[in-house]
Structures are given as C-alpha cells and as structure tokens.
Amino acid sequence: EIARLGSPAASGPTTEDIDAARTMPPVEQQAMIRGMVDRLASRLSLDFSDFDGWMRLIRAYMVLGEHDKAREALTQARQHFAADPEKIGRLDALSRDLRIGG
C-alpha cells in the first residue's frame, strides 16, 4: 500500500522516500507517511490547481483508512475542477475504484 503513495512528482513522496519507509519500523513508517500526506494537504489548501496532487491525496487518505478525509478531499477536488469534464470523470473513476461514497 505504501508504494501507491509514491510519485515521481516533487510534491509527493519520491522513490527514495518509499524505499526508506519500507525499511523503517511500522510506527516510524506511519509517521513519515502522515507527514507527507499532511504536507500535500496543506499545499493543496493554498494551491488548488494541482489535479494530480488531489488524486494522490484522496488515495493516500484511503490507504491510511481515513475515509471521511478522502470523501472531503474528493468533494473539494470536484468543486475546484467542476468546469473540467475530463477531470471530473477521472475523479468519478477514482471514487468508484476506491469505493468512496460521496
């Protein structure tokens, strides 16, 4: 599941971050992942335009078992990209794939 959070984009965890997380004790892994997810959420609250960032954030919340936060992020992303049918379609597909209600 950790690998699903990885992304080559600078705004998310790097391959090196993911590799480092795999060698950590579970408690440290969770703390590292939590920090990355929190930073991504904070950045998106200031710059709504990073569609791929929203997709990563929604997935990350689901991986962490934070389904309410995933639904909230999905709702926010839908609002920010309401004028772009292609992006709304991708969000809808992600919602179905991850079984997110809302």
Side-chain angles (χ1 to χ4, degrees), residues 9-101:
S11 59
T14 64
T15 302
E16 292 79 18
D17 292 334
I18 300 303
D19 289 341
R22 286 189 178 118
T23 64
M24 294 177 175
V27 172
E28 289 180 27
Q29 254 182 22
Q30 284 300 106
M32 180 182 174
I33 292 167
R34 166 61 46 211
M36 289 185 284
V37 171
D38 289 348
R39 283 188 299 277
L40 177 58
S42 177
R43 189 178 57 72
L44 290 172
S45 73
L46 300 173
D47 175 11
F48 309 121
S49 66
D50 181 4
F51 180 76
D52 291 332
W54 284 103
M55 298 284 282
R56 281 192 304 277
L57 183 64
I58 294 163
R59 277 191 204 93
Y61 282 143
M62 290 301 288
V63 168
L64 291 172
E66 297 181 356
H67 301 169
D68 289 341
K69 286 186 176 184
R71 276 189 291 278
E72 183 180 321
L74 177 62
T75 298
Q76 290 175 339
R78 283 181 173 146
Q79 290 170 351
H80 297 308
F81 299 101
D84 188 330
E86 186 269 332
K87 288 180 177 161
I88 293 297
R90 288 178 58 195
L91 288 166
D92 290 345
L94 180 66
S95 177
R96 282 190 304 275
D97 291 347
L98 297 178
R99 294 187 172 98
I100 301 172

